[in-house]
């Protein structure tokens, strides 16, 4: 399992603590230092079955700086994936890639259901 995270993010720390407490080993990937490329992000998005907007960190500074609240619909999915690949801080975190799905963000109950 791959765990895409930003170590300073409180949600990422909570998710990692939960994974460690449940003895679940993951390959940790730093979202900012090792931002996934567009193809990887597309594969994660498709595997998740979620709307692409769920992959955006809508409360982050990068989202606000790009005024995506007002301009999101002006971009194609390909352009949106490019934005995510260009700035790891735009990506909602953490992302946990399982064999057949991707969990976006951290909710203990969702992790329990998927991994418990």
């Amino acid at each position: 399992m791959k765990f895409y995270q930003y170590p300073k993010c409180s949600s990422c720390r909570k998710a990692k603590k939960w994974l460690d407490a449940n003895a679940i080993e993951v390959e940790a990937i730093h979202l900012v230092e090792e931002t996934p490329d567009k193809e990887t992000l597309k594969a994660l998005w498709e595997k998740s079955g979620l709307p692409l907007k769920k992959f955006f960190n809508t409360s982050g500074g990068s989202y606000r700086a790009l005024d995506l609240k007002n301009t999101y619909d002006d971009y194609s999915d390909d352009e949106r994936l490019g934005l995510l690949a260009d700035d790891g801080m735009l990506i909602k975190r953490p992302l946990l890639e399982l064999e057949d799905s991707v969990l976006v963000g951290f909710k203990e109950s969702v992790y329990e259901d998927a991994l418990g």
Side-chain angles (χ1 to χ4, degrees), residues 29-91:
I29 299 166
H30 193 298
L31 268 176
V32 177
E33 294 175 359
E34 302 173 66
T35 305
D37 62 25
K38 206 157 93 168
E39 293 74 27
T40 301
L41 287 163
K42 184 177 183 184
L44 290 169
W45 166 47
E46 290 173 346
K47 197 180 207 183
S48 76
L50 296 170
L52 185 53
K53 193 163 193 172
K54 295 283 187 189
F55 275 73
F56 281 83
N57 176 13
T58 58
S59 61
S62 293
Y63 191 86
R64 287 192 300 275
L66 291 169
D67 193 30
L68 287 170
K69 180 178 180 183
N70 298 310
T71 62
Y72 182 85
D73 291 333
D74 297 341
Y75 294 94
S76 68
D77 285 344
D78 188 62
E79 290 168 325
R80 293 173 186 142
L81 289 165
L83 290 172
L84 292 170
D86 287 343
D87 184 357
M89 293 301 282
L90 261 180
I91 301 171

Side-chain angles (χ1 to χ4, degrees), residues 8-22:
K8 293 179 182 177
C9 165
S10 60
S11 294
C12 294
R13 288 195 306 266
K14 288 176 192 169
K16 185 72 170 91
K17 184 177 179 180
W18 187 91
L19 292 165
D20 291 345
N22 288 277

